[in-house]
Amino acid sequence: ENAAFVVEGDKAMVVSGDGEATCHVVVSDEQTGGTASVPISLTFEEPVPLEELLDLPEPSDAPHLENLEEHVETDFKVADDLQDDVQQLPPNGSAETEDNDTEQRSSEEEEVVPKIVAAGRMKALQLPAIVDKVIELSGKDRPNILYVGTASFDRTDKYNMVTKTFRERDCEIERLNVSEVDDDPPEEEMRQLVVEWADVILCSGGNTLHALLRWKEVGLDLLMKEASEKGTVMAGASAGAGCWFDSLHSDSLRPDNVKNSERIKSELDEDDLADWDYVKISGMGYINAMCVPHFDATGSNDVSRAEHAQEIMAEHPDAPAIGIDENAAFVVEGDKAMVVSGDGEATCHVVVSDEQTGGTASVPISLTFEEPVPLEELLDLPEPSDAPHLENLEEHVETDFKVADDLQDDVQQLPPNGSAETEDNDTEQRSSEEEEVVPKIVAAGRMKALQLPAIVDKVIELSGKDRPNILYVGTASFDRTDKYNMVTKTFRERDCEIERLNVSEVDDDPPEEEMRQLVVEWADVILCSGGNTLHALLRWKEVGLDLLMKEASEKGTVMAGASAGAGCWFDSLHSDSLRPDNVKNSERIKSELDEDDLADWDYVKISGMGYINAMCVPHFDATGSNDVSRAEHAQEIMAEHPDAPAIGIDENAAFVV
């Protein structure tokens, strides 16, 4: 009584006057000789074809749906060979297509493949941040988008939901319907759309097993792989997210995960609708992990996706899993990956087997990652560093790391061009008319400060070049790429040449000659990350990097860094090295400890390398996770040990020597 049936041309929808009343499709049931009455869902936000509405009670014609559980073990992998062979396409390596916004992918850039955006649920593909990432990866303002709604049985209500924001952005959208056996399109038509026309292939959620079976039957899986190798973005949500992985956690056997779901819901009671189990099925193999969409949700069987996935991981510990919250997306660009949050809170999670406990460890991926990092590194997030000293780090608080204290009383004047000759990457040598003063140090209060123009300008100015060679040393942050991205961002934007020297892990020890070439001969600036100072100083001492840094400094190289990478240049520093989450796998520690345990630590005064005769206090205007002010605690230490002054560095400042 309080509903209306609305027709617009050949399309129709329901408007509910009270939020509950709806309309119903009633048809004859040939099997029973009676009728079937199906309520029309109120989730339809736009009209759908009237013919499709009237067909709501009818099941799909795909024969495999009668015994879908028989296909749980089917192998759908077609792209697992791409995992070990991330490809660089030549400029314009993708097929030439008519440019619908007069903009081709840049001919100056190589394409990295595969490019994948895997969202946690279909509604997430309406969220601006996720839509922006899909469009960005396409390289066009208004990409050609091919919608593949097989998993949702090519229903228009799902098409409307998934493509809504892309249509609002004026993207050109085509549909490829292959859900029904009667819909099989000619292969040449599929090839033209999938391989030649599409910039983005956008797959709906729904029944993954049904979709993968149909794609295999019609050859769409192989065409998708061919498109991916040409640089096409492979995107989707839920089923359309999991299909790109080696395997996925699926609700394909849910009784109402069918074309005529409204009819099933109206005919079954709550107990029958909840009587189903998740299954692990094969995906197409683009990403070597199990995908768990809807990671933060509970199914209609009242079982948590996250908890059940961890049970599967414990039984089958052969590969990690990526859990995707409903409003997040996991983004892959070649061999790198990152998370895009649609609401600023949802994220993705790395789930791995824990050999020590026999269970699993689930680690949320930080939303502070502004750029993608190596996928292998992301999947390694739960793992601790291999440096033995981290097991008893407090035993090293009294270790003396001074190597440069002799420079304090003997500031050196280098002869003109006294620094090592290197290839000048911007045709500008340090002025031959000026003598170099050493040491040259820029010590910033926090890592983000090294993105601030005034501080970056000073580092570059001291180097004597417009585009200096910068050697990034991320030992304190355990050589994590997210920290590298943060610290070097503005320098990369200034076209500086940057190399990384990784020595955090014992297995990473580089040959001494390689270190010497980079540190002493090549670098104009040595740029050190924040993180765990004690760990960094111990590793530098173990591999001899501390002495090479001193030698570089004596030649005029700028010694720069932030937080730990600031304090290391001083006689001593005020350090949070014993903070429980100041470790490589910090996300795991934060997820496992409660607030009290995370706050149960003290600052310590440790030795630095001795370039500056003072104690450094980075983050001087901040308070630690132990709720203790840096400034106040440092002053307490000074009162107990008044032998030398201290330099407190506010987070957005730098102390320059």
Side-chain angles (χ1 to χ4, degrees):
E1 291 195 332
N2 286 337
F5 189 70
V6 181
V7 175
E8 302 177 48
D10 61 351
K11 295 182 179 180
M13 67 182 296
V14 174
V15 174
S16 177
D18 58 13
E20 295 182 1
T22 187
C23 297
H24 308 256
V25 178
V26 186
V27 296
S28 300
D29 189 326
E30 295 180 2
Q31 289 184 329
T32 65
T35 60
S37 176
V38 178
I40 300 173
S41 173
L42 296 179
T43 61
F44 292 14
E45 297 177 351
E46 303 175 57
V48 303
L50 177 58
E51 182 180 354
E52 193 174 310
L53 262 188
L54 298 177
D55 197 39
L56 276 182
E58 299 301 320
S60 169
D61 68 0
H64 57 241
L65 290 166
E66 295 179 9
N67 297 291
L68 201 55
E69 63 276 4
E70 294 180 1
H71 300 277
V72 167
E73 300 297 327
T74 301
D75 186 357
F76 297 105
K77 292 186 185 68
V78 295
D80 46 335
D81 58 318
L82 297 183
Q83 295 174 1
D84 300 322
D85 185 25
V86 175
Q87 303 175 45
Q88 297 285 341
L89 283 179
N92 291 326
S94 57
E96 292 294 326
T97 64
E98 181 180 352
D99 191 345
N100 61 5
D101 54 3
T102 69
E103 179 185 14
Q104 290 288 350
R105 296 184 179 102
S106 169
S107 61
E108 299 176 3
E109 297 180 5
E110 290 186 335
E111 295 247 41
V112 177
V113 298
K115 294 184 284 190
I116 296 170
V117 181
R121 64 169 179 163
M122 285 192 280
K123 277 249 180 183
L125 291 171
Q126 295 180 359
L127 300 175
I130 295 174
V131 172
D132 288 345
K133 178 55 71 172
V134 174
I135 292 176
E136 174 197 321
L137 289 180
S138 78
K140 294 184 176 181
D141 291 336
R142 297 184 297 279
N144 293 338
I145 295 179
L146 179 62
Y147 173 81
V148 181
T150 320
S152 55
F153 301 91
D154 293 326
R155 287 180 47 153
T156 301
D157 57 317
K158 307 305 182 187
Y159 165 84
N160 289 340
M161 179 193 300
V162 171
T163 64
K164 180 180 180 182
T165 306
F166 294 97
R167 286 179 284 128
E168 291 171 352
R169 302 284 185 88
D170 293 328
C171 297
E172 187 75 21
I173 301 178
E174 294 285 345
R175 293 176 68 170
L176 178 59
N177 294 341
V178 299
S179 174
E180 304 298 285
V181 174
D182 290 342
D183 288 341
D184 288 2
E187 183 179 350
E188 193 50 45
E189 178 184 321
M190 285 200 299
R191 170 172 292 279
Q192 195 280 325
L193 283 171
V194 176
V195 180
E196 298 174 21
W197 181 82
D199 302 306
V200 176
I201 294 175
L202 187 64
C203 298
S204 73
N207 193 310
T208 327
L209 200 45
H210 166 62
L212 290 166
L213 284 162
R214 286 295 295 145
W215 297 347
K216 192 179 184 77
E217 288 168 8
V218 302
L220 181 54
D221 54 349
L222 296 176
L223 291 174
M224 285 177 169
K225 179 187 177 186
E226 189 175 340
S228 173
E229 290 174 324
K230 287 190 156 194
T232 302
V233 181
M234 317 309 278
S238 188
C243 62
W244 312 115
F245 288 71
D246 256 16
S247 62
L248 62 143
H249 186 261
S250 174
D251 64 353
S252 291
L253 302 186
R254 199 181 75 228
D256 60 323
N257 198 351
V258 292
K259 177 183 175 184
N260 57 341
S261 58
E262 289 85 357
R263 176 171 180 175
I264 300 301
K265 287 178 180 177
S266 69
E267 292 179 348
L268 297 183
D269 61 25
E270 288 187 7
D271 290 340
D272 288 335
L273 286 170
D275 186 20
W276 60 275
D277 293 314
Y278 297 110
V279 288
K280 179 183 179 182
I281 65 174
S282 165
M284 290 188 288
Y286 291 77
I287 303 168
N288 186 23
M290 178 175 76
C291 177
V292 189
H294 309 277
F295 192 75
D296 52 345
T298 296
S300 60
N301 58 0
D302 204 30
V303 176
S304 159
R305 281 269 196 171
E307 293 176 6
H308 190 270
Q310 291 179 63
E311 292 175 13
I312 289 180
M313 288 290 297
E315 295 174 9
H316 306 281
D318 49 331
I322 296 293
I324 308 175
D325 288 346
E326 292 204 318
N327 286 339
F330 189 68
V331 179
V332 174
E333 301 176 54
D335 61 351
K336 295 183 178 180
M338 67 181 295
V339 175
V340 173
S341 179
D343 59 13
E345 295 183 2
T347 187
C348 297
H349 309 255
V350 179
V351 186
V352 297
S353 300
D354 189 325
E355 295 180 1
Q356 291 183 328
T357 66
T360 59
S362 177
V363 177
I365 300 173
S366 173
L367 296 179
T368 62
F369 292 13
E370 297 178 350
E371 302 175 57
V373 304
L375 176 58
E376 184 178 352
E377 193 174 310
L378 262 190
L379 297 177
D380 199 39
L381 275 183
E383 300 302 321
S385 169
D386 68 359
H389 57 241
L390 290 166
E391 295 179 9
N392 298 290
L393 202 56
E394 63 277 2
E395 294 179 2
H396 301 276
V397 167
E398 300 298 326
T399 302
D400 185 356
F401 298 104
K402 291 186 184 68
V403 295
D405 46 336
D406 58 317
L407 297 183
Q408 295 174 1
D409 301 322
D410 185 23
V411 174
Q412 302 177 46
Q413 298 286 340
L414 284 179
N417 294 325
S419 56
E421 292 293 326
T422 63
E423 182 180 351
D424 191 345
N425 62 5
D426 55 4
T427 69
E428 179 185 11
Q429 291 287 349
R430 295 184 179 101
S431 169
S432 62
E433 300 176 1
E434 297 179 5
E435 291 187 336
E436 295 250 38
V437 177
V438 297
K440 294 185 284 190
I441 296 170
V442 180
R446 65 169 180 161
M447 285 192 278
K448 278 251 180 180
L450 290 170
Q451 295 181 358
L452 302 175
I455 295 174
V456 172
D457 288 345
K458 178 54 70 173
V459 173
I460 292 176
E461 174 196 322
L462 289 180
S463 78
K465 293 184 177 181
D466 290 337
R467 297 186 297 277
N469 292 338
I470 295 179
L471 179 62
Y472 172 81
V473 181
T475 320
S477 55
F478 301 91
D479 293 326
R480 286 180 47 152
T481 301
D482 56 315
K483 307 306 181 187
Y484 165 84
N485 289 340
M486 179 193 300
V487 171
T488 64
K489 181 180 180 181
T490 306
F491 293 98
R492 285 180 284 129
E493 291 171 352
R494 302 285 185 87
D495 292 327
C496 297
E497 187 75 21
I498 301 178
E499 294 285 345
R500 293 175 68 169
L501 179 59
N502 294 342
V503 300
S504 173
E505 304 296 285
V506 174
D507 290 341
D508 288 341
D509 288 2
E512 183 179 350
E513 192 51 44
E514 179 184 319
M515 285 201 298
R516 169 172 292 280
Q517 194 280 326
L518 283 171
V519 176
V520 180
E521 298 174 21
W522 181 82
D524 302 307
V525 177
I526 294 175
L527 186 63
C528 298
S529 73
N532 194 310
T533 328
L534 200 45
H535 166 63
L537 290 166
L538 283 162
R539 286 295 295 145
W540 297 347
K541 192 179 184 76
E542 288 168 8
V543 302
L545 182 54
D546 54 349
L547 296 176
L548 291 175
M549 285 177 170
K550 178 186 177 185
E551 189 176 340
S553 173
E554 290 174 323
K555 286 188 154 193
T557 302
V558 181
M559 318 307 279
S563 189
C568 63
W569 313 115
F570 288 70
D571 255 16
S572 62
L573 62 143
H574 186 263
S575 174
D576 64 354
S577 291
L578 302 186
R579 199 181 77 228
D581 60 325
N582 198 350
V583 291
K584 177 184 175 185
N585 57 340
S586 58
E587 289 85 356
R588 176 172 180 176
I589 300 302
K590 287 178 181 177
S591 69
E592 292 179 347
L593 297 183
D594 61 26
E595 288 187 7
D596 291 340
D597 288 335
L598 287 170
D600 186 18
W601 60 276
D602 294 313
Y603 297 111
V604 288
K605 179 183 178 181
I606 65 174
S607 164
M609 290 189 288
Y611 292 77
I612 303 169
N613 186 22
M615 178 175 76
C616 177
V617 189
H619 308 277
F620 192 73
D621 53 346
T623 296
S625 60
N626 58 359
D627 205 29
V628 176
S629 159
R630 282 270 196 170
E632 292 177 6
H633 190 271
Q635 290 176 60
E636 292 175 14
I637 290 179
M638 288 291 295
E640 296 174 9
H641 306 281
D643 49 329
I647 298 293
I649 307 175
D650 288 347
E651 292 202 321
N652 287 338
F655 188 69
V656 181
V657 173

